[in-house]
Amino acid sequence: MKKKIISMLLVACMGLSLVACGGGNNKPASNEGSTTEEGSEATQPSDEGGSDESASNEGSDEGGSSDGVITVGFSQVGAESDWRTANSESMKSTFSEENGYKLIFDDAQQKQENQLTAIRNFINQEVDYIVLAPTTETGWDTVLQEAKDAGIPVIIVDRMVDVSDDTLYNCYVGGNFKLEGQKACEWLKAYADAKGIKELNIAHIQGNIGASAQIGRTEGLEEAAEKYGWNIVAQQSGEFTQAKGQEVMESMLKSNDNINVVYCENDNEAFGAIDAIKAAGKTVGPDGDILVMSFDTVKAGIEMTMAGDIICNTECNPLHGPRVEELIKKMEAGEEPEKIAYVDEGIFTYGDEVAKVTVDGQDYDVTKVTQEVIDGRMY
């Protein structure tokens, strides 16, 4: 890559300069808060966190290498959900030493400031690629400009960024979150019609406010509610976690006695909501008091869909590692990757009342969850 060639020339020039001046005492680049797949200790992580294991840059204080190994710096949002864990594992298994990569993994612990620090550390370490799963959409212009100035390609995964110049990142891999919301809502409309449900009183448990998944899934619901005359009786963030989802659901049930649908923006929130509903003496499912809808379809979520506790679960595929690798291979070959790469995602339900839904003229099949469906899934 051009970045490496320029870096080598600069290093050579600096070396000649230091000999002429009688020496030098350059400090190695910081690796604070980051980890590699090897996981051996290098530096103390900061009190702000940003790492779930110790850092390692064996053989060099710089991320880039000249032995054919591609160094990838990955700033992950955190570990707030089963989906996030599956997403991290996909990246780690793809960008392994055995596959010819060196992965520097950073857990931001849900804090954007940790991600800004991590990206700057990646730049100092001269990684070959930066992969970012952003905590929120805004606030990235400055640090991504720094990456661009350093000649390091940036790949955005899972959640989108809202920047003034879209050349600050090379490409995006992830879900179309508004479409996910639209598919779920079209399913709800068709299901309610099939079951003769005349009035929908919806408790809406949102994800982290400002995250792409929250924005898109919220827009999908709010537009459908206005279009079909549904009542959103409560709306609050469950922060994509089971504990917060349960807490929010408990509060909503105390304030509203007419809830018959809960629209959770991920599976972990749905798990918590279901616990709260049952603890309140109410029932869930097709013959129960409340229908619980969810997103993600992680293993536990899809199993609860087969059981009927979750009536409809719209997929958000976390296996981004191979997709990101494909884009990196294109760039390594000098090709320009497609800017936006949405992943294919399905709709999974307890019953078979709705065979398909239509959004903007496009049909999407609905899959009834069976044991065979569960056995065939990769996450």
Side-chain angles (χ1 to χ4, degrees):
M1 295 175 61
K2 291 181 179 179
K3 173 177 75 71
K4 288 185 177 178
I5 296 172
I6 294 171
S7 176
M8 292 172 65
L9 290 173
L10 288 173
V11 169
C13 292
M14 288 174 64
L16 291 173
S17 175
L18 290 174
V19 170
C21 294
N25 188 27
N26 291 344
K27 294 182 179 180
S30 169
N31 189 30
E32 189 171 316
S34 299
T35 70
T36 69
E37 280 297 280
E38 292 87 347
S40 58
E41 184 173 328
T43 63
Q44 283 294 108
S46 68
D47 292 335
E48 282 294 316
S51 174
D52 62 356
E53 52 188 77
S54 298
S56 173
N57 277 325
E58 286 186 18
S60 172
D61 288 316
E62 295 179 351
S65 62
S66 57
D67 57 1
V69 174
I70 297 173
T71 302
V72 177
F74 177 39
S75 176
Q76 176 63 286
V77 171
E80 78 283 357
S81 65
D82 293 2
W83 188 98
R84 190 65 55 188
T85 300
N87 183 246
S88 293
E89 288 305 313
S90 177
M91 297 293 289
K92 289 178 179 179
S93 62
T94 299
F95 296 104
S96 65
E97 182 179 349
E98 292 76 14
N99 290 339
Y101 297 96
K102 179 177 181 180
L103 178 66
I104 306 176
F105 181 92
D106 188 278
D107 180 344
Q109 300 178 6
Q110 305 293 326
K111 297 179 181 179
Q112 186 178 34
E113 59 265 31
N114 289 346
Q115 293 199 293
L116 298 175
T117 298
I119 293 172
R120 291 188 169 108
N121 283 340
F122 296 157
I123 295 170
N124 289 337
Q125 292 166 283
E126 296 185 347
V127 301
D128 296 309
Y129 295 89
I130 291 173
V131 181
L132 169 65
T135 52
T136 187
E137 289 196 351
T138 59
W140 303 104
D141 288 71
T142 300
V143 74
L144 294 187
Q145 182 65 58
E146 292 170 18
K148 182 179 180 180
D149 291 343
I152 303 175
V154 174
I155 300 172
I156 307 298
V157 298
D158 176 33
R159 304 172 177 178
M160 181 53 83
V161 293
D162 182 4
V163 290
S164 58
D165 177 6
D166 66 6
T167 67
L168 295 180
Y169 66 93
N170 292 72
C171 45
Y172 165 80
V173 174
N176 184 333
F177 300 112
K178 184 172 181 179
L179 178 60
E180 291 174 3
Q182 290 172 314
K183 290 190 292 188
C185 289
E186 289 304 317
W187 177 88
L188 179 58
K189 174 64 167 62
Y191 181 84
D193 289 345
K195 290 291 189 177
I197 303 173
K198 302 299 183 183
E199 184 174 294
L200 295 181
N201 299 306
I202 302 170
H204 180 196
I205 302 180
Q206 299 170 289
N208 288 339
I209 303 302
S212 295
Q214 177 273 313
I215 293 171
R217 293 166 189 169
T218 293
E219 286 180 353
L221 174 61
E222 290 179 342
E223 289 179 6
E226 182 177 357
K227 178 180 179 180
Y228 297 125
W230 300 341
N231 304 312
I232 300 177
V233 298
Q235 190 175 58
Q236 187 176 336
S237 173
E239 299 175 0
F240 287 134
T241 69
Q242 181 167 341
K244 190 66 174 180
Q246 181 172 350
E247 176 188 324
V248 168
M249 189 76 256
E250 289 171 351
S251 175
M252 289 177 171
L253 288 170
K254 291 176 182 178
S255 303
N256 304 274
D257 60 4
N258 62 341
I259 295 170
N260 60 356
V261 176
V262 181
Y263 181 97
C264 302
E265 291 190 356
N266 84 334
D267 280 338
N268 286 78
E269 290 178 342
F271 303 155
I274 290 167
D275 288 342
I277 292 167
K278 292 182 177 180
K282 294 181 179 292
T283 57
V284 298
D287 300 316
D289 302 310
I290 298 175
L291 300 173
V292 178
M293 301 177 65
S294 185
F295 295 84
D296 281 0
T297 69
V298 298
K299 187 176 190 299
I302 204 75
E303 289 174 344
M304 292 181 77
T305 305
M306 186 173 73
D309 285 354
I310 295 174
I311 197 71
C312 176
N313 203 332
T314 304
E315 185 178 25
C316 181
N317 194 320
L319 307 181
H320 294 158
R323 297 176 175 87
V324 174
E325 182 183 31
E326 182 180 346
L327 295 172
I328 287 177
K329 286 181 175 179
K330 284 185 178 182
M331 286 187 275
E332 285 290 297
E335 301 175 21
E336 185 175 345
E338 54 186 316
K339 191 72 173 180
I340 305 294
Y342 289 130
V343 297
D344 292 331
E345 298 170 330
I347 311 164
F348 296 86
T349 59
Y350 167 75
D352 56 6
E353 294 84 359
V354 181
K356 65 179 180 180
V357 299
T358 303
V359 179
D360 295 331
Q362 176 70 44
D363 290 340
Y364 299 92
D365 291 335
V366 176
T367 301
K368 177 183 176 179
V369 179
T370 62
Q371 189 60 50
E372 184 180 3
V373 169
I374 292 175
D375 292 343
R377 292 176 62 78
M378 296 180 64
Y379 67 94

